[in-house]
Amino acid sequence: MDEAARGGSAAKRELAWCVADPHLTRDDPVLGLFKRFLGGFSSEGPGTLVILGDLFASWIALPGALAPYQTDVLEDLRAIKEAGREVIFIIGNRDYFVESLDPRPFSFAGERWDLAIPTVGRIRFEHGDLINTSDHNYQRWRVFSRSEAVKRVVAALPGKWQASLARRAEKALEPTNRAYKDYSPLPELERWANGVKADGCSTAVVGHFHEDKTVAAAGLQVHFAPQFRGIGPFLSVNAGGVIERVEWEPQNGGSVSTVK
Ligand SMILES: [Mn+2]
């Protein structure tokens, strides 16, 4: 093999898989799909798994509030982390207090994370719900609902109340999320893209919108990650910085519907 071909194959080495917005619920057909995907990641995936937020339709990650199906998925993720892989969790608008989970299923949990690829650059991963800064109500809710004060109050509630709070939050957020998603925040997207570029990134990956497209905003390549439902689409990032859509179970066709 000559030099160029060797360089070529090194650039094709996968670095990360990125999965966005499964919105898993109890008795959800996608639960099985997601667990098979995690099994596949364990056996054939690269070193890093990025979960781009909204893992469950709504959840409060406090011990009394977790349902058995949620604990089960978190256990799979913890096993992947303990086997030496990097599990990155980007917090979405449906994920509460995940950074305080104990034992920790994630190597990192936060609002943004950058993958630095030598000679290629940095790729920013964010959920995407913070792009639209014109939605002041949502922005205030996001800050308030995630504050330490609210967390202390919620943590002091009995588990049953925490779980019912999670279900109510899901319902309450529905109209806001729909209105937010229907709006195409072009000026806000450009402003956000400028900030990401100022942090030294050339590319960004966002979920939340359940779109499947790539756009250029203020010179930043923005990949909108598809929602992981149905045929299980996800993104694969290689060492050349190329981001590709892959389908985990293309044979599913339209049999498992997507949700908003
Ligand atoms: Mn979202």
PDB file of all heavy atoms in Angstrom, residues 21 23 54 92-94 127 129 181 208 210, ligand 1:
ATOM      1  N   ASP A  21     -31.951  12.166  20.103  1.00  0.00           N
ATOM      2  CA  ASP A  21     -33.409  12.254  20.312  1.00  0.00           C
ATOM      3  C   ASP A  21     -34.218  10.955  20.211  1.00  0.00           C
ATOM      4  O   ASP A  21     -35.247  10.932  19.532  1.00  0.00           O
ATOM      5  CB  ASP A  21     -34.005  13.265  19.302  1.00  0.00           C
ATOM      6  CG  ASP A  21     -33.428  14.651  19.459  1.00  0.00           C
ATOM      7  OD1 ASP A  21     -33.854  15.366  20.383  1.00  0.00           O
ATOM      8  OD2 ASP A  21     -32.524  15.017  18.666  1.00  0.00           O
ATOM      9  N   HIS A  23     -36.154   9.797  22.473  1.00  0.00           N
ATOM     10  CA  HIS A  23     -37.422  10.066  23.184  1.00  0.00           C
ATOM     11  C   HIS A  23     -38.055   8.763  23.680  1.00  0.00           C
ATOM     12  O   HIS A  23     -39.256   8.546  23.501  1.00  0.00           O
ATOM     13  CB  HIS A  23     -38.433  10.769  22.263  1.00  0.00           C
ATOM     14  CG  HIS A  23     -38.087  12.174  21.924  1.00  0.00           C
ATOM     15  ND1 HIS A  23     -39.047  13.144  21.727  1.00  0.00           N
ATOM     16  CD2 HIS A  23     -36.903  12.797  21.732  1.00  0.00           C
ATOM     17  CE1 HIS A  23     -38.466  14.294  21.422  1.00  0.00           C
ATOM     18  NE2 HIS A  23     -37.156  14.100  21.411  1.00  0.00           N
ATOM     19  N   ASP A  54     -32.216  14.283  24.881  1.00  0.00           N
ATOM     20  CA  ASP A  54     -33.584  13.771  24.787  1.00  0.00           C
ATOM     21  C   ASP A  54     -33.588  12.248  24.666  1.00  0.00           C
ATOM     22  O   ASP A  54     -34.256  11.674  23.797  1.00  0.00           O
ATOM     23  CB  ASP A  54     -34.348  14.421  23.615  1.00  0.00           C
ATOM     24  CG  ASP A  54     -34.704  15.879  23.890  1.00  0.00           C
ATOM     25  OD1 ASP A  54     -34.361  16.387  24.974  1.00  0.00           O
ATOM     26  OD2 ASP A  54     -35.326  16.507  23.013  1.00  0.00           O
ATOM     27  N   GLY A  92     -30.304  17.499  26.767  1.00  0.00           N
ATOM     28  CA  GLY A  92     -31.364  18.099  25.964  1.00  0.00           C
ATOM     29  C   GLY A  92     -32.422  18.727  26.846  1.00  0.00           C
ATOM     30  O   GLY A  92     -32.305  18.716  28.076  1.00  0.00           O
ATOM     31  N   ASN A  93     -33.483  19.228  26.231  1.00  0.00           N
ATOM     32  CA  ASN A  93     -34.525  19.907  27.003  1.00  0.00           C
ATOM     33  C   ASN A  93     -35.394  18.932  27.791  1.00  0.00           C
ATOM     34  O   ASN A  93     -36.182  19.342  28.626  1.00  0.00           O
ATOM     35  CB  ASN A  93     -35.403  20.763  26.088  1.00  0.00           C
ATOM     36  CG  ASN A  93     -35.894  20.008  24.882  1.00  0.00           C
ATOM     37  OD1 ASN A  93     -35.096  19.472  24.110  1.00  0.00           O
ATOM     38  ND2 ASN A  93     -37.198  19.934  24.708  1.00  0.00           N
ATOM     39  N   ARG A  94     -35.253  17.611  27.540  1.00  0.00           N
ATOM     40  CA  ARG A  94     -36.047  16.620  28.256  1.00  0.00           C
ATOM     41  C   ARG A  94     -35.244  15.877  29.329  1.00  0.00           C
ATOM     42  O   ARG A  94     -35.761  14.962  29.962  1.00  0.00           O
ATOM     43  CB  ARG A  94     -36.599  15.596  27.260  1.00  0.00           C
ATOM     44  CG  ARG A  94     -37.605  16.196  26.307  1.00  0.00           C
ATOM     45  CD  ARG A  94     -37.819  15.350  25.080  1.00  0.00           C
ATOM     46  NE  ARG A  94     -38.769  15.993  24.190  1.00  0.00           N
ATOM     47  CZ  ARG A  94     -40.091  15.841  24.266  1.00  0.00           C
ATOM     48  NH1 ARG A  94     -40.615  15.031  25.164  1.00  0.00           N
ATOM     49  NH2 ARG A  94     -40.884  16.485  23.446  1.00  0.00           N
ATOM     50  N   HIS A 127     -27.144  19.982  21.928  1.00  0.00           N
ATOM     51  CA  HIS A 127     -28.499  19.497  21.664  1.00  0.00           C
ATOM     52  C   HIS A 127     -29.208  20.371  20.629  1.00  0.00           C
ATOM     53  O   HIS A 127     -29.824  19.857  19.699  1.00  0.00           O
ATOM     54  CB  HIS A 127     -29.313  19.424  22.952  1.00  0.00           C
ATOM     55  CG  HIS A 127     -30.680  18.875  22.722  1.00  0.00           C
ATOM     56  ND1 HIS A 127     -30.893  17.606  22.219  1.00  0.00           N
ATOM     57  CD2 HIS A 127     -31.922  19.429  22.859  1.00  0.00           C
ATOM     58  CE1 HIS A 127     -32.194  17.398  22.082  1.00  0.00           C
ATOM     59  NE2 HIS A 127     -32.837  18.485  22.452  1.00  0.00           N
ATOM     60  N   ASP A 129     -31.377  23.132  21.585  1.00  0.00           N
ATOM     61  CA  ASP A 129     -32.508  23.912  22.109  1.00  0.00           C
ATOM     62  C   ASP A 129     -32.078  25.300  22.588  1.00  0.00           C
ATOM     63  O   ASP A 129     -32.928  26.126  22.888  1.00  0.00           O
ATOM     64  CB  ASP A 129     -33.210  23.157  23.248  1.00  0.00           C
ATOM     65  CG  ASP A 129     -32.286  22.855  24.409  1.00  0.00           C
ATOM     66  OD1 ASP A 129     -31.137  22.432  24.156  1.00  0.00           O
ATOM     67  OD2 ASP A 129     -32.700  23.035  25.565  1.00  0.00           O
ATOM     68  N   LYS A 181     -39.908  24.264  17.305  1.00  0.00           N
ATOM     69  CA  LYS A 181     -39.355  23.497  16.183  1.00  0.00           C
ATOM     70  C   LYS A 181     -39.860  24.014  14.845  1.00  0.00           C
ATOM     71  O   LYS A 181     -39.176  23.942  13.847  1.00  0.00           O
ATOM     72  CB  LYS A 181     -39.705  22.021  16.346  1.00  0.00           C
ATOM     73  CG  LYS A 181     -38.851  21.387  17.419  1.00  0.00           C
ATOM     74  CD  LYS A 181     -38.922  19.882  17.369  1.00  0.00           C
ATOM     75  CE  LYS A 181     -37.990  19.277  18.390  1.00  0.00           C
ATOM     76  NZ  LYS A 181     -38.696  18.678  19.512  1.00  0.00           N
ATOM     77  N   HIS A 208     -32.326  17.800  18.410  1.00  0.00           N
ATOM     78  CA  HIS A 208     -33.481  18.591  18.808  1.00  0.00           C
ATOM     79  C   HIS A 208     -34.500  18.858  17.708  1.00  0.00           C
ATOM     80  O   HIS A 208     -35.693  18.737  17.937  1.00  0.00           O
ATOM     81  CB  HIS A 208     -33.034  19.919  19.420  1.00  0.00           C
ATOM     82  CG  HIS A 208     -34.153  20.748  19.965  1.00  0.00           C
ATOM     83  ND1 HIS A 208     -34.951  20.309  20.991  1.00  0.00           N
ATOM     84  CD2 HIS A 208     -34.623  21.978  19.631  1.00  0.00           C
ATOM     85  CE1 HIS A 208     -35.858  21.256  21.271  1.00  0.00           C
ATOM     86  NE2 HIS A 208     -35.684  22.263  20.455  1.00  0.00           N
ATOM     87  N   HIS A 210     -34.926  17.261  14.884  1.00  0.00           N
ATOM     88  CA  HIS A 210     -35.339  16.048  14.171  1.00  0.00           C
ATOM     89  C   HIS A 210     -35.253  16.263  12.665  1.00  0.00           C
ATOM     90  O   HIS A 210     -36.111  15.822  11.909  1.00  0.00           O
ATOM     91  CB  HIS A 210     -36.755  15.598  14.563  1.00  0.00           C
ATOM     92  CG  HIS A 210     -36.939  15.445  16.050  1.00  0.00           C
ATOM     93  ND1 HIS A 210     -38.140  15.154  16.632  1.00  0.00           N
ATOM     94  CD2 HIS A 210     -36.050  15.537  17.074  1.00  0.00           C
ATOM     95  CE1 HIS A 210     -38.004  15.079  17.945  1.00  0.00           C
ATOM     96  NE2 HIS A 210     -36.735  15.318  18.238  1.00  0.00           N
TER      97      HIS A 210
HETATM   98 MN    MN B   1     -34.968  18.448  22.259  1.00  0.00          MN
END
